[in-house]
Amino acid sequence: MGNEVSSICSDLIRFDTTNPGSGERPAAEYVAGLLAEAGVEPVVFESARGRTSVVARIPGDSSDALLVQGHLDVVPAEPADWRIHPFSGEIDGGCVWGRGAVDMKGTLSMTLALVRDWARRGVRPRRDVVLAFLADEEASGEYGAHYAVRRHRELFDGCTEAIGESGGYSVEVRGRRIYPVAVGERGTAWMRLTARGVAGHGSRPPVDNAVAELCHALSRLAAHRWPVRLTPGVAALITALEDILGESIDRDRLEQEAERLGRAGTLFAAQIRNSANPTMLEAGYKVNVVPGTATAHVDGRFLPGHREEFLETVDRLLGPKITREFVSLQEAPSAPPDSPFFARLCTAIVAEDPAARPVPYVMSGGTDAKAFAGLGIRGYGFAPLMLTPDLDYFGMFHGVDERVPVAGLEFGVRVLDRLLTAPEA
């Protein structure tokens, strides 16, 4: 099982599933083949040419089901920037290197290695397990999770909880190993902004310059200081950190406290306020021509329960001359940190690492949990990894020289095995 998880991870990385790109089909076929060899019947479907997902169900001792979901696509990588080629899947220095090692082909390899080990040992999970290997998470999920929910809803019958990215990884803080387990994430509001004005010659006095109007609006948006909002998930995290660190955290100065706490502070620094970052601009075609329109894209994120406040603030800052439309608008899902299932997640980690201190956590970004929340499935970020202290987990996401320790993958397989097969306490 140990050797197989690293070899599967290497194989998956070698499939270039860059999004945007040619799609996930070859990687999906590889996954389907591994499942079939283990006696698990895969359902393979496409939402568009090459945009391929795989779903399978493993019967358990109880028909209520747990969804284990992850994505096959990855963000782009520039080989010239990497020490080892991002699609080599090379094992070097005890790590599997390549785009997707952490986000999230490493996690998929843990799931696949475990299922194949079950087949060899004749093990049956405690409850039905639905496996989903999905396309398009690194964009909007429209070709992956959202398509699966719309067109293949029956595949997820009986699922009450789900695990996926990102959580269950170790963070070394003052000699303690903290494992954040995600109980929610910020909502997504990707927006296209358009300013319309009067086209004309660049040498003439401006009448209604669309480029200038858009720049003024973006400047107001970028300069805005969003107020700190303490959501229940982050409040639970801070309480847990106080217990672990043996000190109080001033809830009236959370931004400053996040900086003071260093690595521990990164667990909530980006999760205490909404955000709206301009990311793309497009206008004009010639230096001496004032264009009639100008457009921009903004990556907006809002805290659970704060969507309306976010949108009202954005509209006020943009002003009446800017048209806003959504590229993607997805809610901020949350799951209870005081649930028996959350306790089981924590127990599985501590069983493999007695020094572990699991804590609830809210993700600053978004995952496919948003799509499954629409089916009433409570999503938890749980992709267990024990990392060496020198590895910056957050820096691995979409970063250069992404890699995952082989020992960390093997740890994750053992944790998942305990979670999915151990009897109720």
Side-chain angles (χ1 to χ4, degrees):
M1 182 166 62
N3 290 333
E4 188 171 39
V5 67
S6 58
S7 65
I8 292 174
C9 185
S10 293
D11 288 345
L12 283 173
I13 288 170
R14 293 186 188 109
F15 293 104
D16 184 350
T17 54
T18 298
N19 187 1
S22 58
E24 300 84 2
R25 182 87 199 185
E29 291 176 344
Y30 171 79
V31 167
L34 292 181
L35 291 174
E37 287 176 4
V40 178
E41 184 178 351
V43 178
V44 181
F45 54 87
E46 283 192 344
S47 54
R49 183 175 181 181
R51 309 312 307 271
T52 314
S53 297
V54 181
V55 178
R57 182 181 290 258
I58 302 174
D61 296 328
S62 170
S63 60
D64 70 307
L66 171 67
L67 172 62
V68 180
Q69 57 93 2
H71 61 89
L72 292 163
D73 61 322
V74 298
V75 297
E78 176 50 61
D81 297 334
W82 289 55
R83 184 165 78 81
I84 295 176
H85 195 284
F87 297 105
S88 69
E90 183 176 333
I91 298 177
D92 180 79
C95 291
V96 185
W97 289 65
R99 177 59 84 218
V102 167
D103 186 17
M104 65 174 301
K105 291 179 176 179
T107 306
L108 302 184
S109 69
M110 293 190 295
T111 303
L112 289 164
L114 177 59
V115 169
R116 292 169 63 80
D117 183 63
W118 283 350
R120 287 188 289 267
R121 292 189 287 132
V123 171
R124 184 181 176 94
R126 187 178 58 83
R127 59 196 285 196
D128 279 13
V129 174
V130 176
L131 309 173
F133 303 83
L134 301 159
D136 197 40
E137 191 274 345
E138 295 293 1
S140 64
E142 283 300 316
Y143 291 105
H146 289 284
Y147 178 87
V149 165
R150 287 195 308 269
R151 301 293 296 272
H152 298 279
R153 181 171 183 158
E154 72 284 355
L155 297 177
F156 309 102
D157 284 351
C159 290
T160 54
E161 291 97 12
I163 59 172
E165 62 176 342
S166 149
Y169 55 90
S170 63
V171 179
E172 294 278 342
V173 178
R174 302 179 190 176
R176 301 165 176 87
R177 258 195 312 275
I178 297 174
Y179 286 80
V181 175
V183 296
E185 57 190 57
R186 294 196 298 173
T188 300
W190 291 346
M191 296 170 284
R192 181 186 295 108
L193 310 180
T194 304
R196 292 179 172 82
V198 178
H201 200 287
S203 67
R204 295 179 179 177
V207 176
D208 191 2
N209 190 310
V211 175
E213 191 65 45
L214 183 62
C215 287
H216 292 323
L218 291 176
S219 178
R220 293 191 296 270
L221 194 63
H224 180 66
R225 293 290 296 167
W226 294 87
V228 171
R229 299 285 186 251
L230 184 57
T231 59
V234 176
L237 165 64
I238 290 173
T239 298
L241 289 177
E242 288 178 321
D243 179 60
I244 293 169
L245 301 176
E247 62 181 84
S248 62
I249 298 173
D250 189 343
R251 286 155 177 76
D252 294 326
R253 302 178 67 254
L254 285 178
E255 188 171 37
Q256 294 85 347
E257 290 287 71
E259 185 175 352
R260 178 181 69 83
L261 291 169
R263 217 169 208 191
T266 63
L267 297 177
F268 64 84
Q271 291 88 328
I272 55 177
R273 52 167 50 98
N274 300 327
S275 64
N277 285 315
T279 54
M280 297 169 63
L281 287 168
E282 184 177 2
Y285 56 89
K286 199 171 187 294
V287 68
N288 62 343
V289 177
V290 176
T293 62
T295 61
H297 285 72
V298 171
D299 183 341
R301 309 283 175 149
F302 54 91
L303 296 168
H306 291 272
R307 168 178 157 172
E308 293 310 313
E309 177 191 39
F310 171 82
L311 295 177
E312 289 170 4
T313 303
V314 166
D315 288 342
R316 175 174 55 80
L317 293 169
L318 293 179
K321 292 187 177 181
I322 305 297
T323 300
R324 166 178 60 78
E325 57 184 317
F326 292 114
V327 177
S328 178
L329 177 63
Q330 300 187 49
E331 287 296 342
S334 60
D338 56 353
S339 69
F341 184 71
F342 180 83
R344 286 186 63 83
L345 297 174
C346 298
T347 299
I349 291 177
V350 174
E352 289 300 325
D353 180 9
R357 298 299 299 270
V359 297
Y361 165 69
V362 175
M363 287 179 275
S364 63
T367 74
D368 282 334
K370 289 176 165 56
F372 296 109
L375 298 181
I377 300 173
R378 297 181 294 277
Y380 292 84
F382 191 76
L385 279 175
M386 182 188 286
L387 300 170
T388 54
D390 60 299
L391 280 181
D392 177 7
Y393 180 80
F394 293 110
M396 295 290 112
F397 273 78
H398 301 188
V400 173
D401 292 339
E402 184 180 351
R403 60 199 183 276
V404 63
V406 172
L409 293 174
E410 294 170 351
F411 169 83
V413 175
R414 296 193 301 272
V415 172
L416 290 176
D417 191 24
R418 287 184 179 274
L419 173 68
L420 301 175
T421 62
E424 292 279 8

